[in-house]
Amino acid sequence: MALVFFPLISLLLLLLVRTDAQTVGNLTVGASLSADENSHPWISPSGDYAFGFHQLSSDKSLFLLAIWYNKIPDRTLVWYANGDSPAPKGSKLQLTADREFVLSNPQGEQLWNSEVSNGAVDSGVMDDNGSFKLLGSGSVLWESFKYPADTVLPSQTLDEGLFLSSRQSETNFSKGRFRLVLRSDDSLVLATVNLPSDHVNDPYHKSGTAGDSNSSSPASQLVFNESGYLFVLRENEERDLLTQRTTGSAKNVYYRATLGFDGVFTLYSHPKTFTGNNARWTALWSEPDNICTSTPINAGSGACGLNNICSITAEKRPSCGCPSGYTLVDPMNRYGNCKPNFTQSCDQEPAPVEDLYDFEVLINVDWPLADYALLEPFTEDQCRQSCLNDCMCAVAIFRLGDKCWKKKLPLSNGRFDPTLNGGKALIKVRKGGRPPLAPYFPNQELKNKDKNQEPLILIISTSRSEPVVETNLRSFTYKELVDATDEFREELGRGAFGIVYRGTLPMSYISQVAVKRLNTLVHGHAEKEFKTEVNVIGQTHHKNLVRLLGFCDEGENRLLVYEYLSNGTLASFLFGGLRPSWIQRTQIAFGIARGLLYLHEECSTQIIHCDIKPQNILLDEYYNARISDFDMESSSEERAILTDWAYDCYLEETLDLLVENDVDAQHDLAKVERFVQVAIWCIQEDLSLRPTMREVTQMLEGVVQVPAPPCPCPYASTA
Ligand SMILES: *[C@@H]1O[C@H](CO)[C@@H](O)[C@H](O)[C@H]1NC(C)=O
Ligand SMILES: *[C@@H]1O[C@H](CO)[C@@H](O)[C@H](O)[C@H]1NC(C)=O
Ligand SMILES: *[C@@H]1O[C@H](CO)[C@@H](O)[C@H](O)[C@H]1NC(C)=O
Ligand SMILES: *[C@@H]1O[C@H](CO)[C@@H](O)[C@H](O)[C@H]1NC(C)=O
Ligand SMILES: *[C@@H]1O[C@H](CO)[C@@H](O)[C@H](O)[C@H]1NC(C)=O
Ligand SMILES: *[C@@H]1O[C@H](CO)[C@@H](O)[C@H](O)[C@H]1NC(C)=O
Ligand SMILES: CC(=O)N[C@H]1CO[C@H](CO)[C@@H](O)[C@@H]1O
């Protein structure tokens, strides 16, 4: 059986580290650019920005006309023209005889037009500030800065009425639900839009300006200046400063301010000169501080989808999770709507309601706008009874000692909010049907998973029907883990499914542990499935896997106890202060491959880990790679260009470029080539061509020859 392991490629390639080179060019009348993977973008004179076709990672036959950073390996788009209507392969961007700048599909139909109304275009130029300009008779007729997508750049201004639109998701550039708009009366506001219309709802956030400032002068512009400051300029020239911190002039640092697909507006910086160590975007500032608890919007769903619950992460990003008894409508979009996993009817039921329904309780959770009745003074018990016997009631909120709010579907603006002071959300669920343990999606075919979606699946066990097998896992009481973690004091990381804390077990063979506390919001899983999963993982033993030592399963509290590894994640090692040597990087790659081989073929229950990435690989004190399932957050756009580039280097026999700054690797080019070849085999579109993990380890280690791989492109003929 050919096993699928897409993500290892990005790891292998990340381990190779890199730099880039491109040509500088101008556009003149008659020139055209065609949408395919080999089209050469137009580069700004400094080489900082590129204008051209970006291939969608979710559908390689579609392209966006876009601007991106040319020198940063992670393809970060700062502008795109046709997010809502991506161009099929073979589309052409042309300066027509009428001197119009037009994007048309292979059938000749227009997909996008710059719509210059005030003259004929002579030429186009990608400038060093990141704006693409169309010039005619010496003046600027059109510029991308005036038609922003989701990002503003230094030296760009947003006039009143102009707005940024979020995208649908990290990899889907269609217009999303969020907008940032400059309004003369309110200054800068963030609001949701009722798609597919353009109707803008009341703001969920107003930038800290009009309210606080004494100025009554209308706001006229959002300015992003070259020192990296964002401010609202008022008509009387007063500035309402949004950002307080920068990391230097835009001459030395790339800045961008992007309205994320999750509705958070963030200022990022990235060094212009970088090695593998500091090559990343750092968030300097973002707004709002907590989108989950921002003003409830009386139309639309709030930060997460309908019936969903928003909780804020340490990075101030929303994390969404369906309540117990509810599941995602689109399992790949956890920011989307949730649906009850049962139907509630007002018709005659087959049994008394007490036998049919029960309540799941969530603390400090509320859906502020879905009330249809307030009952007071009421006890909690009366509140439960009332909701139970009311076929309209989906949720009751019991709060403030004697108040009971009954709520109907769909629930909007769901939020986890500690200021609710222990208020209880009583969620009515039908007995018997509960969704499975949130992090695990049993029996889901790996190949059905879009590799570019947010990583959701951590571990899938492919044979689950087995009875519970005893392992030597320790069962902890909740109290023991509260003590071990000193009341969950030191956080090691957090992800969608829970937070990992550092802990110490007294009187134990392994004293340092990492305790993962599964999120109460998402762990609406059945007892038996939790036990089965724990058992399956508990039976794995391999030096390249993080060991599960025990668990706690006490009512609401579900925790997993792992051994603690002192050297952090591979991500922090690769991109952190100490750059790993070539030897270390190869050893880490071997270790990951061996760990996966064990999971796929050697342990008693076959396990497929669907989220291999540097954040999920921990390092022990000897820098051995250990695969874990700690779901730290991350994104996955970088793959496409890294793989394309690596494949080009392989074809053109310029593999030395991949490891340009690494003398050791340069002296070991045979191994570099072997790694790249293996990686290319692993990302074949045709799954049947991909090697098994056993073959992968043998090829990586040089035990067997690596045959020349065919192109990993979508429609390659199979060599
Ligand atoms: C691009 O255009 C600019 C200004 O028109 C000119 O100075 C430069 O030489 C041109 N570069 C190329 C490569 O044609
Ligand atoms: C870039 O922006 C600065 C500041 O607005 C401006 O002075 C400069 O002319 C711009 N450069 C180009 C190439 O437009
Ligand atoms: C992006 O999302 C929209 C809305 O869900 C969908 O209609 C569109 O097909 C998606 N685009 C791509 C390229 O997947
Ligand atoms: C507004 O003006 C009053 C009176 O001049 C002053 O006391 C107050 O601090 C000002 N508020 C702000 C936010 O500047
Ligand atoms: C950008 O704005 C900040 C805040 O007003 C100011 O201190 C700085 O001098 C400005 N930089 C430039 C290049 O105008
Ligand atoms: C929903 O509940 C039913 C039983 O009521 C169960 O068979 C089914 O697996 C559940 N589905 C999900 C996705 O939780
Ligand atoms: C990056 C990191 O934490 N490195 C440590 C890994 O472990 C060795 C041995 O304990 C330390 O010396 C390193 O500092």
Side-chain angles (χ1 to χ4, degrees):
M1 180 179 76
L3 286 167
V4 194
F5 79 124
F6 252 109
L8 192 59
I9 171 67
S10 43
L11 263 181
L12 286 174
L13 293 174
L14 280 171
L15 289 166
L16 292 167
V17 189
R18 39 81 56 232
T19 55
D20 210 344
Q22 278 287 3
T23 48
V24 173
N26 278 358
L27 161 71
T28 48
V29 176
S32 79
L33 195 61
S34 84
D36 62 63
E37 33 312 67
N38 303 317
S39 81
H40 286 288
W42 292 317
I43 310 293
S44 71
S46 66
D48 283 339
Y49 293 95
F51 171 85
F53 284 104
H54 167 75
Q55 189 176 30
L56 285 185
S57 53
S58 54
D59 182 345
K60 299 224 150 86
S61 67
L62 295 177
F63 295 79
L64 294 185
L65 182 61
I67 296 173
W68 61 87
Y69 295 96
N70 180 49
K71 293 178 177 172
I72 298 180
D74 274 14
R75 174 72 65 95
T76 309
L77 269 52
V78 296
W79 181 82
Y80 37 92
N82 55 327
D84 283 325
S85 47
K89 187 171 170 143
S91 298
K92 269 199 163 47
L93 177 71
Q94 257 176 320
L95 262 195
T96 64
D98 305 340
R99 306 273 192 104
E100 279 191 1
F101 200 54
V102 172
L103 172 63
S104 34
N105 68 14
Q107 291 73 43
E109 291 155 359
Q110 264 193 33
L111 297 173
W112 176 83
N113 183 338
S114 62
E115 286 174 13
V116 171
S117 54
N118 52 345
V121 176
D122 289 333
S123 61
V125 63
M126 182 65 240
D127 84 14
D128 284 335
N129 290 334
S131 190
F132 183 79
K133 289 176 176 148
L134 294 175
L135 311 171
S137 321
S139 60
V140 177
L141 301 178
W142 183 93
E143 57 178 314
S144 59
F145 268 14
K146 297 280 180 235
Y147 299 86
D150 61 358
T151 297
V152 278
L153 294 175
S155 83
Q156 185 170 2
T157 56
L158 218 61
D159 293 337
E160 202 224 323
L162 280 189
F163 56 87
L164 303 185
S165 271
S166 68
R167 39 178 111 153
Q168 282 276 335
S169 72
E170 205 55 50
T171 51
N172 181 329
F173 295 82
S174 282
K175 278 197 188 63
R177 293 195 292 124
F178 302 97
R179 248 186 217 187
L180 175 140
V181 194
L182 186 72
R183 291 186 181 164
S184 61
D185 48 348
D186 273 338
S187 120
L188 204 60
V189 304
L190 293 167
T192 56
V193 179
N194 294 340
L195 294 175
S197 83
D198 253 350
H199 177 82
V200 181
N201 294 311
D202 288 341
Y204 57 92
H205 181 75
K206 296 185 186 188
S207 251
T209 46
D212 312 339
S213 137
N214 274 339
S215 176
S216 54
S217 172
S220 65
Q221 269 190 333
L222 173 69
V223 180
F224 195 176
N225 80 11
E226 297 201 299
S227 319
Y229 284 89
L230 271 169
F231 55 86
V232 172
L233 191 66
R234 296 190 169 275
E235 277 176 12
N236 64 1
E237 299 289 311
E238 268 183 46
R239 293 177 176 194
D240 296 334
L241 214 52
L242 300 171
T243 55
Q244 306 294 344
R245 176 164 88 100
T246 70
T247 51
S249 157
K251 287 191 179 59
N252 311 314
V253 183
Y254 294 115
Y255 288 108
R256 67 186 166 95
T258 302
L259 177 61
F261 71 90
D262 56 7
V264 180
F265 184 47
T266 308
L267 170 67
Y268 297 93
S269 74
H270 188 297
K272 278 199 181 174
T273 45
F274 51 86
T275 59
N277 299 332
N278 58 353
R280 64 172 163 262
W281 289 100
T282 306
L284 297 178
W285 167 91
S286 71
E287 242 178 27
D289 271 347
N290 186 342
I291 190 172
C292 297
T293 56
S294 61
T295 324
I297 317 152
N298 61 15
S301 63
C304 296
L306 293 166
N307 304 328
N308 209 327
I309 308 171
C310 181
S311 57
I312 201 78
T313 68
E315 297 78 32
K316 300 191 194 170
R317 317 301 302 201
S319 158
C320 305
C322 297
S324 302
Y326 287 67
T327 51
L328 287 170
V329 173
D330 171 0
M332 289 308 172
N333 178 12
R334 72 174 128 109
Y335 296 87
N337 299 336
C338 303
K339 56 172 192 249
N341 180 24
F342 58 89
T343 46
Q344 179 172 218
S345 145
C346 286
D347 296 337
Q348 185 69 43
E349 291 267 26
V353 280
E354 288 79 4
D355 295 348
L356 294 176
Y357 296 97
D358 203 353
F359 287 98
E360 294 280 347
V361 180
L362 291 178
I363 308 293
N364 290 339
V365 165
D366 196 7
W367 288 271
L369 294 181
D371 313 344
Y372 65 91
L374 166 61
L375 309 169
E376 62 174 340
F378 247 45
T379 64
E380 182 178 337
D381 205 46
Q382 288 173 313
C383 189
R384 282 171 186 257
Q385 280 305 322
S386 174
C387 184
L388 197 59
N389 289 300
D390 180 346
C391 66
M392 294 292 163
C393 181
V395 168
I397 301 287
F398 183 74
R399 224 152 67 71
L400 304 175
D402 65 351
K403 291 192 173 38
C404 174
W405 284 270
K406 290 202 288 186
K407 308 212 175 231
K408 59 186 188 311
L409 296 182
L411 305 158
S412 66
N413 297 280
R415 64 214 24 229
F416 172 73
D417 180 0
T419 66
L420 293 170
N421 288 323
K424 284 184 185 171
L426 307 168
I427 297 157
K428 190 164 157 190
V429 294
R430 198 166 178 116
K431 285 183 186 169
R434 299 278 166 74
L437 177 64
Y440 307 117
F441 284 60
N443 302 331
Q444 187 161 352
E445 284 286 322
L446 176 58
K447 61 185 162 214
N448 289 345
K449 177 177 181 272
D450 179 348
K451 67 187 187 337
N452 297 301
Q453 293 286 344
E454 290 265 339
L456 249 189
I457 304 178
L458 300 176
I459 291 186
I460 295 175
S461 68
T462 51
S463 84
R464 307 177 42 85
S465 52
E466 287 314 301
V468 173
V469 186
E470 286 311 313
T471 64
N472 49 7
L473 287 182
R474 179 163 160 199
S475 169
F476 290 90
T477 65
Y478 185 61
K479 171 80 169 51
E480 276 177 291
L481 295 183
V482 169
D483 292 343
T485 56
D486 196 8
E487 300 184 340
F488 304 104
R489 193 165 305 273
E490 187 183 338
E491 192 176 313
L492 295 173
R494 62 165 71 200
F497 306 116
I499 302 182
V500 183
Y501 299 92
R502 186 164 180 166
T504 309
L505 298 176
M507 323 270 289
S508 167
Y509 161 60
I510 294 175
S511 69
Q512 296 290 309
V513 292
V515 178
K516 180 170 173 181
R517 187 182 194 180
L518 296 181
N519 204 333
T520 50
L521 295 185
V522 291
H523 77 39
H525 46 262
E527 186 82 12
K528 182 159 163 279
E529 315 216 53
F530 177 73
K531 286 232 160 65
T532 308
E533 298 294 350
V534 164
N535 272 308
V536 169
I537 303 166
Q539 286 174 59
T540 59
H541 272 285
H542 189 272
K543 73 176 165 72
N544 296 111
L545 300 183
V546 173
R547 247 180 87 192
L548 181 67
L549 303 173
F551 63 96
C552 162
D553 187 5
E554 247 181 39
E556 290 267 283
N557 299 306
R558 294 207 168 131
L559 301 95
L560 296 169
V561 181
Y562 295 89
E563 64 181 327
Y564 172 75
L565 296 176
S566 54
N567 260 337
T569 67
L570 177 57
S572 58
F573 191 36
L574 282 179
F575 311 120
L578 271 173
R579 182 158 162 216
S581 69
W582 171 238
I583 295 287
Q584 282 172 328
R585 272 142 58 209
T586 55
Q587 290 304 321
I588 289 169
F590 291 156
I592 298 167
R594 287 189 205 114
L596 285 176
L597 171 61
Y598 170 83
L599 288 175
H600 287 185
E601 296 189 33
E602 292 170 357
C603 59
S604 53
T605 303
Q606 190 189 30
I607 294 174
I608 298 180
H609 191 302
C610 295
D611 200 17
I612 293 295
K613 57 185 176 187
Q615 289 79 0
N616 277 340
I617 308 295
L618 300 180
L619 298 172
D620 69 14
E621 61 200 296
Y622 308 108
Y623 295 106
N624 287 317
R626 306 282 217 96
I627 299 171
S628 84
D629 72 342
F630 295 0
D631 48 316
M632 309 310 179
E633 320 254 87
S634 68
S635 75
S636 49
E637 251 290 84
E638 77 284 342
R639 277 169 209 160
I641 45 162
L642 207 52
T643 54
D644 290 351
W645 182 57
Y647 185 63
D648 289 348
C649 291
Y650 168 68
L651 280 190
E652 288 157 19
E653 298 183 2
T654 52
L655 284 171
D656 51 316
L657 293 179
L658 282 172
V659 289
E660 204 166 35
N661 301 315
D662 193 323
V663 180
D664 289 341
Q666 296 244 351
H667 285 123
D668 199 3
L669 281 181
K671 196 183 279 171
V672 172
E673 179 172 24
R674 208 160 74 220
F675 272 45
V676 171
Q677 284 178 318
V678 174
I680 295 169
W681 274 112
C682 292
I683 55 164
Q684 291 300 315
E685 290 281 329
D686 181 349
L687 303 188
S688 65
L689 292 179
R690 295 186 194 166
T692 63
M693 275 316 299
R694 181 171 303 282
E695 291 166 336
V696 167
T697 47
Q698 288 173 342
M699 291 191 289
L700 284 181
E701 289 170 4
V703 178
V704 298
Q705 286 286 319
V706 190
C711 178
C713 22
Y715 308 109
S717 60
T718 55

